Amino acid sequence: MARTRGKDSLGPAQRRGRRKRVVHVFTEGLVTEPSYIEIIKQHGVPADPALTVEVRIANASAPGSQRKPLKLVEAAVRLMRDEQRQAKRSGLEKKYLPQVWCLFDRDEHEGIETALKQAREGDVRVAFSHPCFEVWRLLHYKSVTGTFGGVCGQVTTRLPFARTPKDSANIKLVLPHQVTGGYLDARKRALQMNAQHGDHVALVNRDPYTDVHEFVEQGLGIASY
């Protein structure tokens, strides 16, 4: 895949240029999710080698005040409207249609249900983790049962590399050796973990939970890494 860039217009499709799907991503974290995405781009195995996916971190320079779930979704919905208009004018095929994703956690945020509802109504996809993205990182190493009580720190302390000086110095930064080779196991464990919750349990109450694997496959078009 091409390199990650900031927000940019899709622009008209070139007649003879190679088609690609542009995926705009709004991340709650300033470091964790972007560093993870960069690793996927470098080490990911595309499900469709003929399809180029260009990832653009849409809020790379946004301050913390603009990284709450509701703020992310509001910005993402506006961008999605613009991209849909441009895609329609360009006559893009379905598989090349732009996507807009938000990656955010439950943590102790307010308005999560509202954010999820606005995202659905605005054709914005959400990769959601409860209590935080570190659940997805942990699943690369082991299965997860029970609950974290909504406390992200409970997850972080269980990460194997949290106890090694080299990796724990900047625990928010995802490093290649922490995730490469572990996707298929992490995906399998995520599905098993999520299945602990019945359909009657609201998404915001599912602890633990993560569907980052859907972003990897449906957004970035990656089958494994």
Side-chain angles (χ1 to χ4, degrees):
M1 289 190 290
R3 62 188 180 88
T4 304
R5 305 193 318 188
K7 178 181 178 295
D8 193 8
S9 172
L10 178 63
Q14 297 180 1
R15 289 180 178 275
R16 297 184 180 179
R18 185 179 184 183
R19 298 279 191 170
K20 62 186 176 184
R21 180 170 73 213
V22 178
V23 178
H24 301 274
V25 188
F26 289 80
T27 67
E28 178 184 345
L30 181 63
V31 176
T32 305
E33 294 93 331
S35 60
Y36 171 73
I37 291 171
E38 188 63 31
I39 292 169
I40 295 175
K41 290 168 57 237
Q42 294 179 9
H43 299 277
V45 178
D48 179 2
L51 175 63
T52 298
V53 178
E54 180 178 329
V55 189
R56 302 179 184 178
I57 304 299
N59 64 330
S61 58
S65 61
Q66 298 300 309
R67 290 180 176 272
K68 305 301 182 183
L70 270 173
K71 291 291 186 180
L72 292 181
V73 170
E74 289 169 357
V77 169
R78 289 194 296 269
L79 176 57
M80 190 58 180
R81 289 197 199 104
D82 292 340
E83 290 300 307
Q84 287 177 330
R85 283 194 291 267
Q86 293 190 49
K88 185 176 181 179
R89 288 197 297 267
S90 301
L92 292 178
E93 297 176 35
K94 183 177 180 180
K95 70 176 181 178
Y96 298 121
L97 289 176
Q99 295 184 12
V100 179
W101 285 75
C102 288
L103 273 61
F104 59 78
D105 305 334
R106 176 65 184 92
D107 284 330
E108 297 180 359
H109 295 305
E110 297 180 355
I112 293 290
E113 291 179 319
T114 300
L116 293 170
K117 180 176 182 291
Q118 291 182 0
R120 288 193 299 270
E121 294 174 347
D123 292 326
V124 169
R125 298 292 303 273
V126 174
F128 177 72
S129 299
H130 192 323
C132 57
F133 186 86
E134 276 63 36
V135 170
W136 176 241
R137 298 174 71 181
L138 181 60
L139 288 168
H140 285 70
Y141 294 88
K142 61 180 70 176
S143 298
V144 175
T145 57
T147 178
F148 293 107
V151 181
C152 187
Q154 297 285 345
V155 188
T156 304
T157 57
R158 291 178 59 181
L159 294 171
F161 46 85
R163 296 182 292 274
T164 60
K166 178 182 178 181
D167 290 359
S168 63
N170 188 358
I171 197 69
K172 290 185 177 296
L173 180 67
V174 182
L175 300 174
H177 70 270
Q178 296 172 355
V179 293
T180 51
Y183 175 72
L184 295 180
D185 285 337
R187 181 184 186 277
K188 179 180 178 180
R189 291 166 182 154
L191 293 174
Q192 293 172 338
M193 179 186 74
N194 295 345
Q196 298 175 106
H197 311 290
D199 293 339
H200 65 286
V201 180
L203 186 62
V204 295
N205 295 326
R206 299 180 186 182
D207 178 11
Y209 178 90
T210 187
D211 52 23
V212 173
H213 54 281
E214 294 185 3
F215 166 67
V216 173
E217 297 179 4
Q218 300 172 25
L220 306 186
I222 295 299
S224 65
Y225 54 74

